[in-house]
């Protein structure tokens, strides 16, 4: 087609090229907020179980293996593992928000 509705080549203009290669400061802030929310849920469940006098091995394992948001390296906060990538890490902004939440909540329990 010609004119304003001309078809474009995927290499010169598709969505693939519109994803920036680094996260903005606001994207990083939102990611840190999500990680802190996960930490808050784990702490809340842990304190509720301690009030009842019980505990879950999954919560204890999470606390032993998973670092809190302030203990994490930036590499771990803002990238995820991807075996297809050259250096095996991929920025979180190239995945959907739902995927990031599922990865945050899955943790060592799979």
């Amino acid at each position: 087609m010609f004119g304003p509705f001309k078809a474009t080549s995927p290499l010169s203009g598709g969505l693939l090229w519109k994803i920036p290669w680094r996260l903005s400061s606001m994207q990083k802030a939102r990611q840190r907020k999500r990680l802190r929310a996960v930490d808050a849920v784990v702490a809340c469940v842990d304190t509720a179980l301690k009030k009842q006098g019980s505990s879950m091995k999954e919560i204890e394992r999470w606390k032993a293996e998973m670092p809190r948001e302030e203990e994490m390296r930036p590499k771990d906060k803002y990238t995820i593992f991807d075996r297809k990538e050259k250096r095996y890490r991929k920025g979180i902004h190239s995945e959907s928000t739902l995927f990031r939440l599922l990865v945050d909540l899955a943790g060592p329990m799979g």
Side-chain angles (χ1 to χ4, degrees):
M1 295 181 96
F2 299 104
F5 303 110
K6 183 173 69 171
T8 59
S9 170
L11 291 176
S12 64
L15 183 60
L16 175 69
W17 298 102
K18 294 180 182 177
I19 297 173
W21 65 277
R22 82 169 69 179
L23 288 167
S24 69
S25 60
M26 293 308 296
Q27 286 174 314
K28 288 181 180 181
R30 284 192 297 271
Q31 175 64 10
R32 288 191 302 270
K33 185 178 177 182
R34 277 192 293 272
L35 291 171
R36 284 193 297 268
V38 171
D39 293 339
V41 168
V42 171
C44 180
V45 169
D46 188 43
T47 55
L49 287 172
K50 282 184 181 177
K51 282 183 182 178
Q52 292 180 349
S54 63
S55 66
M56 289 178 60
K57 70 176 180 180
E58 288 88 3
I59 297 291
E60 298 303 322
R61 182 177 173 197
W62 179 278
K63 287 172 40 181
E65 292 181 8
M66 297 297 289
R68 297 182 55 84
E69 183 268 330
E70 58 270 1
E71 299 167 350
M72 292 175 77
R73 297 178 301 170
K75 175 184 171 184
D76 295 330
K77 286 184 193 179
Y78 308 125
T79 61
I80 57 173
F81 176 78
D82 187 12
R83 64 184 176 146
K84 296 178 293 226
E85 289 293 317
K86 184 175 182 180
R87 301 180 85 182
Y88 301 107
R89 302 293 283 189
K90 180 166 75 170
I92 59 164
H93 61 292
S94 58
E95 291 293 334
S96 69
T97 304
L98 176 63
F99 179 77
R100 289 194 298 264
L101 289 174
L102 292 175
V103 167
D104 290 344
L105 294 175
M109 293 170 275

